[in-house]
Amino acid sequence: MKLKEIIIIEDTKLHQQKIKDAVLDLGYKVAGVFAYGEKAVDYILKADNQPDLLIIDIILEGKMNGYQVAKKISSTSNIPFIFLSGKADTIRDFEASVYLNKPFNKQELKNNIKLALYKYDIYQKILKSNEEKEMILDTTDTQIWYLKDPVTYGKVNQARADFIGRDKIEIVDEIIAEFLPKKEASKCIASNKKVFEEKKKIQIEKWLENANGEKRLLKMTKNPKLNKKGEVDYVVCSAEDITDNKKTIKDLHKIALDFKELKNEKEICKMTIKTAEDLLDFNLCNVLLAKEEKFIPMVSTRNYKQKERSVSEKSIAAK
């Protein structure tokens, strides 16, 4: 297992040694010690070294102070920091794992090093989990998004972005009316308001035009997420494209009516084969009827000839 590597950026020899001792006591590796911020920046960014933790004093030798070093490094890297300061009022608002005031004892420093690494480890796990969730959301054909309010998008998944015809990042925090025709946007916002006001899940079917100008029938679910006060924080939406399903239902209805007009067994079998080929996309179909302990071939695709078989035979048809 690779040792955790820690870089120390501190201008006084006394504190450098104190920090080194704490790092080594924990079983970690001191990857570098710098009194000048510029040298630390060059070592990390120009030489492409990626330690597990930076311990940085606010006051340093050279032209850069600790904050400037941290900002420079954090602009291209997400290495965690521990900031050291001799005065509490010098601590500014910065995204660091730990702020530690001088003077500090070795045990206090060791505890904070462990805390900083633990917090970063948790952060990385959360980040990975979020990336995995987003990956899953972006590989489904179901459109998924959430609403910050009745008129504003939050985040959307790839399927929703593709339907709208824009990059995902372009849709975040934008007004719905920017992406839909005026009439469709008005109806959409009205149903959104209903969910936010009534605080209940709704399901609707709507014809909407996609980025290619095609009218598609979407089955939409809008589900409000309530906070502890019972107010709507946001609304999660999903949409399934059921255009083809609707067409299939219409086709089935027509076929059912056509079947009623058929006069005999042979015609019914022919229609069954045609339906299987056209509607179900089967490429090899056979109809056999069980008559007097035999399977009698009636109709087949591609002139495929089936023989009469006894029901008692160990054939596929018999099974």
Side-chain angles (χ1 to χ4, degrees):
M1 182 174 163
K2 184 176 176 288
L3 288 177
K4 297 285 187 184
E5 296 187 355
I6 298 175
I7 286 179
I8 301 165
I9 309 174
E10 163 65 56
D11 64 332
T12 65
K13 295 287 185 182
L14 178 65
H15 284 104
Q16 285 178 1
Q17 191 59 50
K18 195 173 184 180
I19 298 167
K20 283 174 68 176
D21 291 343
V23 171
L24 295 173
D25 282 354
L26 289 168
Y28 302 142
K29 178 182 177 181
V30 176
V33 180
F34 300 92
Y36 289 82
E38 296 89 340
K39 291 183 178 180
V41 170
D42 288 346
Y43 178 79
I44 292 168
L45 299 185
K46 292 185 179 180
D48 195 25
N49 290 295
Q50 293 292 309
D52 297 288
L53 178 67
L54 298 176
I55 301 176
I56 307 179
D57 190 12
I58 302 299
I59 306 301
L60 298 172
E61 296 285 348
K63 295 179 181 180
M64 298 180 74
N65 64 31
Y67 283 111
Q68 292 169 326
V69 171
K71 286 179 180 178
K72 185 77 174 176
I73 293 170
S74 63
S75 66
T76 58
S77 175
N78 62 351
I79 303 167
F81 299 90
I82 290 179
F83 270 133
L84 306 176
S85 174
K87 296 180 181 179
D89 59 4
T90 63
I91 298 296
R92 306 175 193 175
D93 183 23
F94 191 87
E95 195 65 33
S97 299
V98 174
Y99 293 95
L100 186 59
N101 289 330
K102 294 179 179 178
F104 50 82
N105 59 47
K106 187 192 286 189
Q107 189 57 50
E108 186 180 11
L109 179 59
K110 287 163 70 173
N111 291 342
N112 280 281
I113 290 172
K114 288 192 287 186
L115 175 61
L117 290 170
Y118 174 76
K119 286 172 67 176
Y120 185 69
D121 185 51
I122 295 297
Y123 165 74
Q124 288 294 98
K125 287 177 180 177
I126 292 171
L127 193 64
K128 184 180 179 183
S129 175
N130 288 340
E131 287 173 352
E132 289 171 348
K133 287 174 184 175
E134 187 163 353
M135 178 187 68
I136 292 169
L137 289 175
D138 282 344
T139 53
T140 179
D141 291 332
T142 302
Q143 299 176 39
I144 302 171
W145 67 99
Y146 82 87
L147 301 168
K148 300 177 74 173
D149 56 57
V151 300
T152 312
Y153 277 117
K155 293 186 73 173
V156 306
N157 76 338
Q158 192 60 51
R160 184 63 178 172
D162 290 342
F163 187 86
I164 293 172
R166 301 284 282 274
D167 288 337
K168 290 193 301 178
I169 195 68
E170 294 179 314
I171 302 170
V172 176
D173 296 335
E174 292 296 330
I175 304 300
I176 292 169
E178 293 289 323
F179 308 103
L180 293 174
K182 188 175 180 180
K183 189 175 180 180
E184 289 183 356
S186 179
K187 289 180 180 179
C188 185
I189 291 169
S191 71
N192 294 342
K193 285 181 177 177
K194 182 179 179 181
V195 180
F196 274 90
E197 290 170 2
E198 297 183 3
K199 305 175 186 178
K200 293 180 181 178
K201 181 172 75 172
I202 65 169
Q203 287 186 326
I204 53 176
E205 290 184 9
K206 294 184 71 172
W207 285 95
L208 292 173
E209 191 173 289
N210 66 14
N212 299 321
E214 303 167 332
K215 284 284 188 179
R216 306 298 295 179
L217 181 60
L218 302 183
K219 183 177 181 180
M220 306 173 96
T221 300
K222 300 184 179 184
N223 194 11
K225 296 301 177 182
L226 308 181
N227 58 29
K228 292 180 180 179
K229 295 180 180 179
E231 299 299 321
V232 179
D233 270 345
Y234 55 91
V235 171
V236 177
C237 306
S238 62
E240 295 280 354
D241 190 330
I242 59 170
T243 313
D244 295 337
N245 293 353
K246 203 76 172 179
K247 181 180 180 300
T248 300
I249 291 169
K250 285 183 178 179
D251 289 345
L252 282 170
H253 181 67
K254 182 179 182 304
I255 289 165
L257 294 175
D258 290 343
F259 264 99
K260 288 178 66 177
E261 303 299 319
L262 302 178
K263 305 299 183 185
N264 56 54
E265 232 173 41
K266 190 77 171 178
E267 288 180 352
I268 291 171
C269 291
K270 284 182 178 180
M271 178 65 78
T272 301
I273 291 290
K274 186 176 185 306
T275 301
E277 290 174 334
D278 296 346
L279 194 62
L280 303 179
D281 201 26
F282 289 0
N283 54 21
L284 180 59
C285 310
N286 294 292
V287 176
L288 300 94
L289 301 182
K291 294 185 178 181
E292 298 178 356
E293 300 300 316
K294 287 186 178 181
F295 285 110
I296 311 297
M298 298 296 292
V299 185
S300 299
T301 17
R302 299 181 183 175
N303 298 316
Y304 179 72
K305 299 300 182 182
Q306 277 275 32
K307 298 178 181 179
E308 285 190 14
R309 296 181 183 277
S310 168
V311 173
S312 63
E313 284 185 27
K314 293 181 179 179
S315 63
I316 292 174
K319 288 176 182 179

